[in-house]
Amino acid sequence: MSRIGLLLLAFALSVWLRTAVGPVQSLTAGLVFAVLLLGLAVAARTRVPVSKRAVLLGLAGVVLVCLPVSLEHLLAGRPLHASEGFVTWALVVTVVATAEEVFLRGTLYDAVESRFGALSAILVGAVCFALLHVPLYGWYVIPLDLAVGLVLGGLRQQSGTPAAPAVTHVGADLVGWFLR
Amino acid sequence: MNGRRLWAVGALLVGVGWLLTPNPVPVYDGIGVPDEPYRYVTSPEGGSPTAPPSEATARTPVVKGVSKDGLVLQTKEQTAQFSMFMPPGAMAATTGPITIRAVPQDPVQSPAGKKIFGNAYLITLTSPGGPVTLTKAAEAASLYQRATDTSDGWAMHFRPTANAPWEALQTSRGGTDSHVADFIGPGEYALAKAASQASDRGGLPVLPLAIGIVLLVLVVVAIRLRSTPG
């Protein structure tokens, strides 16, 4: 099996194991998933260089990804979600989001890009990103998560490191808490 | 493509994705906020004491003899142990406001052949103008209760007074550990199940998990070997 095939198989197994260890939205399931993805990234010797430019690009990505939902929230006059329970949740979400980006926009991206080019790497990562969220929310998340996955892939391509999409992903998740 | 165009394309993609997705949140990794332990009025034998369960109150003015507002009643636990939805016009009284209150009770008596493992909740409807009655609109009222575990077999039970027998209500699952039934009227509501079904969550699916982990280890080893130069 090719390296890309192995990575996709490992990714599918990790998603399945997340659903098998308990309620899929539990902290434990999320952490198990993160550990599996980080283990794969380490096995594949994925590098995650961090630069000031990557962080700034990532922060700009947060604004982009959160803009429509924030505007809708603001215009509807809805209150922000309460902060009770935020800290524990935020710590776990940060680990999970970072792990997803290190694997999808690091390990998998590098493998696909070296064989089929950057556009294919962005597309494959976006499809995997959208599919991985289906067990959590259902099929209706596909349009938004596919779009966000393409943006995260674009950030990876522009910055040259998974650090930029990781900043965007973590930031958007944290903002997402308050916009629920 | 230059930087500005890329950002514009990104904004367009996210905008379209957002429009096509019902109730979207930006990315969000599906980590739910864990429930706090169930709060008992009186902890089960051998169990450690819990924080006291909260009660819930809501009020609505009366216009033309019926309740003006729709009401949402929710206790303050994470996740709420009791919540209730009452549509506008569901209650009638000569004068307002109508107050609806849910108070957790120690369930001193369980339905025949079943056991109430959590609290019962006493629902009262009061107004300064005397008794409050339900209208046809109240048929759409529903209430949720959180069970003490995620197992199956829970059914909502109702009794109008403390001396009346419990009556099982048509119950459906409203979440991982919450159950929903129609609101019948003021009185006590509690979740019960067969006394022998003392719970709980069922173990992890060990064999599938073990197979999955072994496969994953093999994949990691294969990736590692392929990453090794030479």
Side-chain angles (χ1 to χ4, degrees):
Chain A
M1 193 183 281
S2 70
R3 181 179 170 80
I4 296 169
L6 277 173
L7 289 172
L8 290 174
L9 174 66
F11 178 69
L13 276 169
S14 302
V15 173
W16 177 77
L17 279 170
R18 179 182 192 172
T19 62
V21 292
V24 70
Q25 296 199 344
S26 67
L27 300 182
T28 309
L31 284 173
V32 165
F33 184 59
V35 168
L36 293 172
L37 292 187
L38 289 174
L40 289 166
V42 170
R45 298 167 193 262
T46 305
R47 291 183 65 249
V48 187
V50 179
S51 64
K52 187 178 169 188
R53 180 170 178 269
V55 173
L56 289 175
L57 273 173
L59 290 173
V62 176
V63 175
L64 179 76
V65 166
C66 294
L67 195 61
V69 186
S70 306
L71 281 176
E72 186 206 23
H73 208 87
L74 194 69
L75 293 174
R78 289 209 296 269
L80 296 178
H81 188 73
S83 59
E84 194 178 343
F86 175 73
V87 175
T88 310
W89 178 89
L91 288 172
V92 177
V93 158
T94 300
V95 173
V96 175
T98 304
E100 285 179 14
E101 291 311 314
V102 169
F103 179 80
L104 290 176
R105 254 64 69 170
T107 314
L108 187 62
Y109 184 98
D110 290 344
V112 178
E113 187 195 31
S114 65
R115 186 130 182 231
F116 300 108
L119 187 58
S120 299
I122 292 171
L123 284 173
V124 170
V127 170
C128 288
F129 180 77
L131 290 177
L132 95 87
H133 289 112
V134 170
L136 300 166
Y137 308 113
W139 289 100
Y140 76 87
V141 301
I142 290 282
L144 183 62
D145 279 6
L146 194 59
V148 171
L150 290 170
V151 169
L152 294 170
L155 286 167
R156 162 66 178 85
Q157 193 267 332
Q158 286 292 300
S159 65
T161 166
V167 169
T168 298
H169 192 158
V170 171
D173 275 357
L174 299 185
V175 171
W177 166 281
F178 297 99
L179 301 180
R180 287 198 284 178
Chain B
M1 226 187 289
N2 66 28
R4 280 186 187 174
R5 281 190 183 170
L6 278 173
W7 284 107
V9 169
L12 186 68
L13 278 171
V14 174
V16 171
W18 172 75
L19 285 172
L20 294 176
T21 305
N23 306 315
V25 285
V27 180
Y28 190 58
D29 274 297
I31 309 296
V33 181
D35 287 348
E36 65 173 300
Y38 193 90
R39 297 188 189 183
Y40 296 92
V41 175
T42 305
S43 295
E45 274 185 38
S48 45
T50 63
S54 63
E55 58 179 69
T57 305
R59 281 186 190 83
T60 171
V62 171
V63 176
K64 294 179 182 171
V66 295
S67 50
K68 176 173 176 276
D69 302 327
L71 295 179
V72 177
L73 213 62
Q74 201 161 48
T75 57
K76 295 183 176 58
E77 299 84 14
Q78 171 66 46
T79 301
Q81 290 179 188
F82 179 92
S83 52
M84 183 174 163
F85 305 93
M86 185 75 96
M91 296 173 287
T94 50
T95 55
I98 294 173
T99 302
I100 179 164
R101 192 165 172 227
V103 181
Q105 309 273 304
D106 192 11
V108 289
Q109 183 197 2
S110 287
K114 294 187 175 179
K115 184 172 179 188
I116 296 170
F117 288 92
N119 306 320
Y121 283 84
L122 176 64
I123 313 301
T124 55
L125 311 175
T126 55
S127 85
V132 177
T133 55
L134 297 178
T135 69
K136 192 161 177 53
E139 288 174 8
S142 60
L143 52 91
Y144 286 72
Q145 277 199 60
R146 190 178 139 200
T148 52
D149 63 48
T150 58
S151 61
D152 296 323
W154 294 98
M156 192 88 74
H157 287 69
F158 165 74
R159 62 180 180 181
T161 64
N163 298 322
W166 287 102
E167 169 196 351
L169 303 179
Q170 182 77 34
T171 308
S172 53
R173 199 176 266 275
T176 309
D177 57 1
S178 70
H179 301 268
V180 59
D182 289 341
F183 174 67
I184 305 295
E188 279 184 90
Y189 291 82
L191 283 172
K193 65 178 180 178
S196 57
Q197 289 178 278
S199 68
D200 203 338
R201 294 162 188 255
L204 289 172
V206 177
L207 184 63
L209 270 179
I211 294 171
I213 290 168
V214 168
L215 281 172
L216 200 65
V217 168
L218 290 175
V219 168
V220 167
V221 170
I223 292 169
R224 187 82 189 175
L225 288 174
R226 281 165 181 267
S227 301
T228 307

